[in-house]
């Protein structure tokens, strides 16, 4: 026989209380006066014997009643005789505790995670000393695959804390199966303690092992309302120093009640920059606009925040971006510089223009530039085609301007490599520009309105696009005959702008028209690499960073004031890939640094746990029945105190109920003795 709670046996010292009472006999004596005492000795001898027997029986019944009560609390048990292999093998028990953010919710008595830990402790205390345990959480730590004894797993359970990791139920079961199946000779039991969120509890996609007995213990949160910050983005990709920027923030209300005037604040580099309030309808979403003035160039570490309880992990959204002091533009010319391009970019402090001849260009330096202009080249070398393709794929911008005597075969080869439309034969008819696409981001906000009699530029030399090949292009300018003369293509992480006419006065009037300046200026501004504003903890396995200058022996760090790690990284050409793995556990703003670089990185918690919508116990039971899972049991009992309810789950023959019955019987015997056994002096 063993005890589930052997510490209660200490209470057996309480049997000393009735013993002390009987030894000292605290009952007051009563004087009786006799007129004749000659028979007193005989009466005294008989009464003392009867009293001693009665007192002994009362004392014995009290001691036995106290012992039975103490044993009931200690919960004695015998292993079931008919448990397979009980005498030969110990059981291997894997306990999964869901420690995702939804377990911050509250049940009737405490936080769900604490309730889950108590359930796990109950399970462990109800098992044999010979049993071995594994503890699995969303963190997938070593305790999930290591055999632990009772004391070791109880220590591990008490250390379980909330984790940002989110795992679907099918993945948890697959993980349990893997670690349990490493031990082929043992009886395998799985306990799963979770709040069973609908967005992660994919029971129908889960593969169960026939060798494992599964027991699901669902928990229920009393609070399901939640307001969260879902995401944010800038209205425009153009971000310059000391300019007004607009940030769009999406908020969600996951409750059945409207949420009026939710306060929202924006902090940048520790300074409050903007405030707003937004009303969100029941089970709806809303977008708030925060306007603020950008600071000087450099890394901007930002956070937007609201206040909402009890689910608070999604109240703050971290993001970061960089404001470049200048944008680097490279213009590759066939012969002479293009004065129209030079006058536009060289005279503006936003841009740093470099001119180069096609014969003298360092092809491997293209990655340093935000925008590359191929100005009126007659033909392309294979090396140049290869490098401009890499430049665009890694986030750079390319403006391709033909000459008036191009090699069509060379241009077709380039178009094929870049996956853009090729040119047809040259057209020398004078045709005026007839349409401007004001919905394209290059012209968005440039015109308040376009008058019907606007004087648009004349084009005298043009190369129509071979639009029979669908290349998913966006047109910017069209001639009066409907032919596209300026278009854009999104390729990889970058963009290609393709002009169908040379940039000189012989070919067209565009270079001296008012339309030329905003067109090339916005192309240049849009060339700045925006990058990801933030990443998701536990979901972002690799972070690609383009155009990152580096030395061969550079060591990268991800750090902030209280944190510093060296992540794995790989460098291919000018693109670096950082692998943070599971090392980032706390949401916040960080910096990726090396001897020659500093880049802002921001991490947020996964919002998958924000929707507090869980399965009810009846739904789980019905679902398991519909899926016909013979070795999967949904436990529907209610556990209000420690040590109750796990007799069936633990395969034990418990004796605590029998102890309660014995305690009642012994107290009843004591009562009968005191009430009906009367001695002569009573």
């Amino acid at each position: 026989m063993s005890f589930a709670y052997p510490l209660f046996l200490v209470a057996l010292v309480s049997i000393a209380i009735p013993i002390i009472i009987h030894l000292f006999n605290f009952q007051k004596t009563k004087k009786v006066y006799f007129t004749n005492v000659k028979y007193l000795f005989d009466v005294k001898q008989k009464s003392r014997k009867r009293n001693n027997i009665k007192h002994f029986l009362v004392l014995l019944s009290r001691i036995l009643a106290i012992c039975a009560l103490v044993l009931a609390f200690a919960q004695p048990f015998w292993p079931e005789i008919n448990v397979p292999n009980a005498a030969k093998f110990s059981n291997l028990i894997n306990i999964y505790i869901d420690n995702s953010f939804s377990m911050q919710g509250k049940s009737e008595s405490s936080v769900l995670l604490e309730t889950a830990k108590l359930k796990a402790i109950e399970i462990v205390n109800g098992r044999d000393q010979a049993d071995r345990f594994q503890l699995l959480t969303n963190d997938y730590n070593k305790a999930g695959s290591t055999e632990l004894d009772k004391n070791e797993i109880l220590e591990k359970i008490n250390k379980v804390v909330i984790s940002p990791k989110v795992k679907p139920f099918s993945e948890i079961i697959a993980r349990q199966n893997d670690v349990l199946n490493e031990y082929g000779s043992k009886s395998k039991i799985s306990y799963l303690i979770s709040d069973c969120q609908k967005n992660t509890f994919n029971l129908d996609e889960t593969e169960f092992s026939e060798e494992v007995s599964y027991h699901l213990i669902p928990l229920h949160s009393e609070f399901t309302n939640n307001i969260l910050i879902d995401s944010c983005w800038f209205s425009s990709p153009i971000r310059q120093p000391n300019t007004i920027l607009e940030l769009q923030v999406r908020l969600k209300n996951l409750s059945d009640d409207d949420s009026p005037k939710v306060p929202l604040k924006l902090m940048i580099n520790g300074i409050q920059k903007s405030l707003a309030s937004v009303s969100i309808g029941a089970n709806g979403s809303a977008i708030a606009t925060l306007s603020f003035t950008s600071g000087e160039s450099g890394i901007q570490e930002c956070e937007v925040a609201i206040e909402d309880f009890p689910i608070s992990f999604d109240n703050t959204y971290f993001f970061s971006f960089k404001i470049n002091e200048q944008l680097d533009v490279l213009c590759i010319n066939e012969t002479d510089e293009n004065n129209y391009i030079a006058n536009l970019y060289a005279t503006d402090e936003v841009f740093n223009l470099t001119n180069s001849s096609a014969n003298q260009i360092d092809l491997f330096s293209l990655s340093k530039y935000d925008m590359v202009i191929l100005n009126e080249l007659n033909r392309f070398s294979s090396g140049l085609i290869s490098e401009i393709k890499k430049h665009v794929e890694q986030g750079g911008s390319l403006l391709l301007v033909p000459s008036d005597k191009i090699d069509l075969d060379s241009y077709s080869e380039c178009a094929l490599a870049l996956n853009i439309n090729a040119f047809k034969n040259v057209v020398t008819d004078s045709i005026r520009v007839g349409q401007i696409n004001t919905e394209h981001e290059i012209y968005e906000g440039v015109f308040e309105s376009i008058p019907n009699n606007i004087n648009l530029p004349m084009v005298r030399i043009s190369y129509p696009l071979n639009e029979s090949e669908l290349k998913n292009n966006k047109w910017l300018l069209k001639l009066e005959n409907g032919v596209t003369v300026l278009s854009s293509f999104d390729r990889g992480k970058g963009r290609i702008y393709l002009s169908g006419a040379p940039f000189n006065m012989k070919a067209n009037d565009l270079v001296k028209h008012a339309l030329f300046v905003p067109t090339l200026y916005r192309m240049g501004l849009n060339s700045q690499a925006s990058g990801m504003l933030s990443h998701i903890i536990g979901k972002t396995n690799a972070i690609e960073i383009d155009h990152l200058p580096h030395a061969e022996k550079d060591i990268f760090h991800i750090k902030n004031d209280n944190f510093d790690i060296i992540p794995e990284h790989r460098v291919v050409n000018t693109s670096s890939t950082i692998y943070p793995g599971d090392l980032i556990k706390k949401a916040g703003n960080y910096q990726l640094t090396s001897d020659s670089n500093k880049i802002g990185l921001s991490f947020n918690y996964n919002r998958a746990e924000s929707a507090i919508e869980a399965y009810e116990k009846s739904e789980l039971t019905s679902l398991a029945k519909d899926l016909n899972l013979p070795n999967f049991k949904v436990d529907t009992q209610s556990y209000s105190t420690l040590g109750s309810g796990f007799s069936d789950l633990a395969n034990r023959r418990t004796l605590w109920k029998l102890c309660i019955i014995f305690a009642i019987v012994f107290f009843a015997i004591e009562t009968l003795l005191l009430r009906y056994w009367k001695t002569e002096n009573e």
Side-chain angles (χ1 to χ4, degrees), residues 632-648:
F632 181 83
K633 177 181 178 182
V634 179
D635 185 77
T636 57
Q637 300 183 55
S638 176
Y639 305 108
S640 57
T641 58
L642 290 177
S644 63
F646 276 100
S647 58
D648 293 335

Side-chain angles (χ1 to χ4, degrees), residues 182 349 525 595 637 660:
E182 292 178 5
E349 61 181 11
L525 290 179
D595 293 339
Q637 300 183 55
I660 293 290

Side-chain angles (χ1 to χ4, degrees), residues 36 47 133 178 185 207 268 381 389 493 513 527 625 666:
N36 193 341
S47 298
F133 304 88
D178 288 342
S185 62
E207 295 185 6
I268 299 181
S381 66
K389 181 180 179 181
K493 298 177 183 178
H513 194 276
S527 67
K625 183 178 180 181
F666 289 133

Side-chain angles (χ1 to χ4, degrees), residues 433-470:
V433 172
Q435 299 179 60
I436 302 174
N437 185 3
T438 56
E439 295 182 358
H440 195 285
E441 63 184 47
I442 294 298
Y443 296 124
E444 187 177 8
V446 173
F447 305 97
E448 291 184 3
S449 63
I450 299 179
N452 294 328
N453 58 347
I454 184 173
N455 182 27
L456 294 175
M458 182 72 72
V459 177
R460 290 175 285 273
I461 298 176
S462 63
Y463 294 91
L465 297 181
N466 183 5
E467 295 185 305
S468 62
E469 303 172 356
L470 298 178

Side-chain angles (χ1 to χ4, degrees), residues 530-544:
S530 55
M532 294 283 291
L533 292 180
S534 65
H535 306 275
I536 299 176
I537 294 176
K539 194 174 182 180
T540 304
N541 297 320
I543 301 172
E544 291 188 18

Side-chain angles (χ1 to χ4, degrees), residues 343-524:
N343 290 337
L344 192 152
Y345 287 125
T347 57
D348 195 309
E349 61 181 11
V350 175
F351 301 102
N352 178 30
L353 176 66
T354 301
N355 275 287
S356 177
S357 171
N359 298 325
Q360 299 176 350
I361 182 66
D362 179 8
L363 295 178
F364 299 105
S365 68
L366 299 187
S367 62
K368 299 189 300 183
Y369 297 94
D370 298 289
M371 182 174 182
V372 174
I373 302 173
L374 302 181
N375 177 49
E376 300 188 24
L377 301 186
N378 294 329
R379 62 185 56 83
F380 305 103
S381 66
S382 58
L384 179 59
I385 293 175
S386 176
E387 291 304 315
I388 60 175
K389 181 180 179 181
K390 290 179 184 177
H391 171 74
V392 173
E393 289 176 344
Q394 294 172 0
S397 292
L398 173 69
L399 172 58
L400 198 159
V401 182
S403 69
D404 54 6
K405 46 184 177 181
I406 65 171
D407 183 337
L408 276 176
D409 291 337
S410 180
Y411 268 75
S412 296
E413 181 184 350
C414 180
L416 181 63
L418 298 177
N419 192 25
I420 61 176
N421 294 96
F423 288 140
K424 295 181 180 179
N425 291 326
V426 63
V427 174
T428 57
D429 297 333
S430 296
I431 307 174
R432 193 173 296 276
V433 172
Q435 299 179 60
I436 302 174
N437 185 3
T438 56
E439 295 182 358
H440 195 285
E441 63 184 47
I442 294 298
Y443 296 124
E444 187 177 8
V446 173
F447 305 97
E448 291 184 3
S449 63
I450 299 179
N452 294 328
N453 58 347
I454 184 173
N455 182 27
L456 294 175
M458 182 72 72
V459 177
R460 290 175 285 273
I461 298 176
S462 63
Y463 294 91
L465 297 181
N466 183 5
E467 295 185 305
S468 62
E469 303 172 356
L470 298 178
K471 298 296 185 180
N472 194 27
N473 65 313
K474 301 176 183 178
W475 68 274
L476 283 79
L477 299 176
K478 284 187 176 182
L479 301 178
E480 289 180 339
N481 61 1
V483 174
T484 301
V485 73
L486 184 61
S487 56
S488 68
F489 303 80
D490 293 329
R491 295 292 180 264
K493 298 177 183 178
R495 175 172 291 180
I496 300 171
Y497 299 98
L498 179 61
S499 172
F503 281 179
N504 59 63
M505 282 298 296
K506 177 184 175 182
N508 61 69
D509 299 335
L510 175 63
V511 291
K512 283 196 173 182
H513 194 276
L515 194 59
F516 183 73
V517 173
T519 300
L520 264 69
Y521 191 83
R522 295 292 289 268
M523 285 181 182

